[in-house]
Amino acid sequence: MEGLEQWKDQLEQLKSQLEPWKNQLEKCLHEAIEYLNQIPPVQLYAAIAVLLISTLLLLSIRLFKRAKSNTVILTGLSGSGKTVLFYQLRDGSVHQGTITSMEPNESTIVLNSDSNKKRKSKPVHIVDVPGHSRLRPKLDEFLPRAAGIVFVVDSLEFLPNCHLASEYLYDILTKASVVKKKIPVLICCNKNDKVTAHTKEFIRKQMEKEMYDPDDKLRASRSAISAADISNDFTLGVPEEPFTFSQCRNKVTVVESSGLTGEVGQVEQFIWECVKP
């Protein structure tokens, strides 16, 4: 009983200590209500509307950041080694011979090198788009959600395919969906394990020469593209100046790799930069 009486006394003391705070809070609340009553309704509604819009905008920005794409596209001419590179990135496996894809290969992976490096990683959605000219329109299905594009070039058989590869890359770099989002592009010079493979510097310079298009010949000769699509696309380079990839609105990088031997470190680094949290 004595302990209960002490507890009641402490409770009463606490209540008496909080009483001034209660009175002060009631006073402030009353003053706030009086102040709001003095504000014209139009101004009050406008202030509430601004507050709501600001809150919604902040929430939208946060949701947009959280929804950053994790899709990276592998594309290029048929036979350039895209699918071998896809399997190498997916599970580190070595596939002998040529693998021709007629349908896109898709897989959500964690990059192999991430387990050996102290960096925060996230699952990556890799899409291998077929390189056959009739199947390239499938690329447009994935571009709206692409965080990066790996354009694979066969550095061993580069010269016979230089014009076709340059034309295809020109098509990608002038697409409105790529330019407006400034999607980074990696030109991956594959099969560099072969002695006769061309260097990335040689490939870069040759493609820049092919894509220098002062008379819009490349743009006009692109087949399987409607007039509406072309009118919505962008042009490359600076007028009356030789074209270089540095003039592109989005970042273009050139590296060497070998999907067959597993030399894909620079490709993985590019992918990680595209999707990093």
Side-chain angles (χ1 to χ4, degrees):
M1 292 294 293
E2 185 177 346
L4 183 60
E5 291 295 330
Q6 291 179 354
W7 184 81
K8 286 183 178 180
D9 291 340
Q10 291 176 358
L11 188 61
E12 288 295 331
Q13 290 177 6
L14 180 62
K15 184 177 179 181
S16 61
Q17 291 174 0
L18 291 177
E19 192 67 28
W21 290 97
K22 177 186 174 184
N23 296 335
Q24 186 66 28
L25 183 60
E26 289 178 347
K27 182 181 178 182
C28 291
L29 184 60
H30 180 71
E31 291 176 353
I33 292 173
E34 286 186 348
Y35 177 76
L36 290 175
N37 288 332
Q38 294 174 5
I39 299 175
V42 175
Q43 293 184 11
L44 184 60
Y45 296 151
I48 294 173
V50 170
L51 180 61
L52 288 174
I53 292 172
S54 301
T55 304
L56 290 173
L57 184 60
L58 289 173
L59 288 174
S60 299
I61 292 172
R62 293 194 65 180
L63 287 173
F64 177 77
K65 289 182 177 180
R66 289 179 181 175
K68 181 180 178 181
S69 173
N70 69 333
T71 297
V72 174
I73 298 172
L74 304 181
T75 190
L77 296 183
S78 182
S80 58
K82 298 183 302 301
T83 304
V84 172
L85 184 62
F86 170 82
Y87 285 116
Q88 188 65 247
L89 292 169
R90 190 187 71 174
D91 49 32
S93 62
V94 176
H95 290 253
Q96 299 290 339
T98 301
I99 304 172
T100 302
S101 299
M102 298 306 291
E103 291 292 334
N105 293 308
E106 298 184 56
S107 183
T108 300
I109 65 172
V110 174
L111 297 176
N112 289 323
S113 61
D114 283 352
S115 59
N116 301 320
K117 296 181 180 180
K118 295 181 179 179
R119 64 187 186 189
K120 188 176 180 180
S121 61
K122 62 182 288 189
V124 183
H125 182 220
I126 303 291
V127 182
D128 166 28
V129 179
H132 193 281
S133 58
R134 293 183 180 179
L135 301 175
R136 287 179 200 167
K138 291 182 178 291
L139 176 67
D140 293 326
E141 299 176 13
F142 298 98
L143 282 179
R145 49 195 170 102
I149 301 170
V150 178
F151 188 85
V152 185
V153 176
D154 184 345
S155 57
L156 188 64
E157 299 292 335
F158 170 69
L159 284 177
N161 299 306
C162 179
H163 179 75
L164 290 176
S166 300
E167 191 174 46
Y168 187 17
L169 182 58
Y170 181 96
D171 182 18
I172 292 172
L173 292 176
T174 55
K175 284 184 179 293
S177 57
V178 174
V179 178
K180 289 181 179 179
K181 291 173 59 180
K182 294 185 178 180
I183 300 175
V185 175
L186 180 76
I187 301 175
C188 175
C189 305
N190 197 28
K191 306 181 184 180
N192 78 325
D193 56 298
K194 306 299 181 181
V195 178
T196 55
H198 294 286
T199 65
K200 65 179 183 180
E201 289 80 11
F202 177 82
I203 292 173
R204 176 182 59 79
K205 290 179 181 179
Q206 292 300 313
M207 294 189 81
E208 287 175 340
K209 288 179 181 179
E210 283 285 338
M211 295 170 69
Y212 177 50
D213 193 30
D215 301 321
D216 279 347
K217 291 180 180 179
L218 261 178
R219 195 164 185 257
S221 66
R222 288 155 61 196
S223 58
I225 301 177
S226 69
D229 288 334
I230 293 177
S231 65
N232 289 329
D233 287 351
F234 290 76
T235 55
L236 287 183
V238 178
E240 300 181 2
E241 288 187 18
F243 171 73
T244 64
F245 288 119
S246 62
Q247 297 168 353
C248 293
R249 293 175 176 85
N250 47 333
K251 185 177 180 181
V252 179
T253 313
V254 187
V255 302
E256 295 175 343
S257 75
S258 173
L260 200 60
T261 63
E263 188 182 333
V264 296
Q266 293 183 83
V267 180
E268 289 187 327
Q269 178 63 28
F270 169 80
I271 293 174
W272 182 79
E273 289 290 340
C274 291
V275 303
K276 64 182 179 182

